[in-house]
Amino acid sequence: MPSESRMTQHLDPRSPWVISTHDLGKRPGTMRRMTLTLPAPVDLGVDMIGVPKDAEVELDLRLEAVMEGVLVSGTAQAPLAGECARCLDPLTSEIEVSLQELFFYSDEDASEEDSLLDGELLDLEPTFRDAVVLALPLSPVCREDCEGLCAECGVKLAEAGADHRHEKIDARWASLQGLITDKDNDQEK
């Protein structure tokens, strides 16, 4: 009987990330392979890069009944979209993550952080979400040798060329800079 301290919400069997384990029964050693294409969940990413909503996620899974529950392992591939942390250009790539999660039959064997089956159903979305977010780069780049933006003027250094420079003025003399310009203007009049 489930403990009062741990309430589980019932899963919707129509949800794309909810998988039935009915054919495994509770017979340890029973196994099934699955290849699925599912829509990516909403808000899956970090500040600069993520998996676009409803993008196709390719899953290659193995579900195996064990004594405590159902062990899910496999891989997931998904497209990524974001922007380069150096030059802010849009970028796209792909990510592949490994998945492995044990879904317990009852909360008697599980700790608070462990995943539980809801009858014969399991929700793979949290496992996929955790794996992807942990694998995403915090500072994605469009290419490894991206030079980024000029800190002074914001121009893309790759487009500005090697001779892009700014005149450095000693802060002690900066207030005199305007006087030179004014003197030149007075002489022209």
Side-chain angles (χ1 to χ4, degrees):
M1 180 166 176
S3 68
E4 296 293 327
S5 64
R6 186 159 169 181
M7 302 301 265
T8 59
Q9 65 184 40
H10 291 289
L11 299 176
D12 181 358
R14 296 168 298 187
S15 173
W17 288 86
V18 173
I19 297 171
S20 173
T21 63
H22 175 76
D23 57 331
L24 296 177
K26 290 189 177 183
R27 299 180 307 271
T30 308
M31 192 260 310
R32 124 174 149 213
R33 289 200 171 276
M34 298 177 71
T35 302
L36 302 168
T37 301
L38 300 177
V42 179
D43 293 331
L44 180 55
V46 292
D47 290 340
M48 301 204 70
I49 195 163
V51 178
K53 179 185 178 287
D54 292 330
E56 289 187 351
V57 177
E58 303 290 331
L59 296 160
D60 184 18
L61 302 173
R62 174 182 160 150
L63 282 67
E64 184 176 2
V66 295
M67 292 297 288
E68 302 86 4
V70 175
L71 177 65
V72 178
S73 55
T75 59
Q77 292 179 321
L80 295 178
E83 59 185 21
C84 177
R86 294 181 190 160
C87 69
L88 303 179
D89 277 349
L91 67 88
T92 58
S93 65
E94 289 192 0
I95 190 168
E96 181 173 336
V97 292
S98 295
L99 305 173
Q100 185 164 14
E101 185 79 26
L102 177 59
F103 291 85
F104 286 86
Y105 292 127
S106 74
D107 61 354
E108 293 170 5
D109 299 325
S111 69
E112 287 220 13
E113 297 84 37
D114 290 329
S115 300
L116 290 175
L117 286 165
D118 179 11
E120 296 175 334
L121 302 175
L122 61 87
D123 186 2
L124 198 56
E125 182 183 331
T127 303
F128 171 70
R129 182 177 294 278
D130 289 349
V132 168
V133 171
L134 289 174
L136 288 174
L138 295 176
S139 297
V141 291
C142 57
R143 57 184 206 280
E144 288 302 316
D145 63 342
C146 177
E147 297 177 47
L149 303 174
C150 174
E152 298 283 326
C153 65
V155 70
K156 289 183 188 173
L157 293 174
E159 294 173 2
D163 60 340
H164 180 77
R165 289 178 179 52
H166 294 277
E167 187 176 329
K168 302 271 190 223
I169 298 176
D170 189 329
R172 296 172 291 182
W173 299 102
S175 61
L176 297 176
Q177 184 180 15
L179 294 175
I180 296 172
T181 307
D182 291 339
K183 182 180 173 188
D184 291 340
N185 288 340
D186 289 342
Q187 288 180 352
E188 291 174 6
K189 290 182 181 180

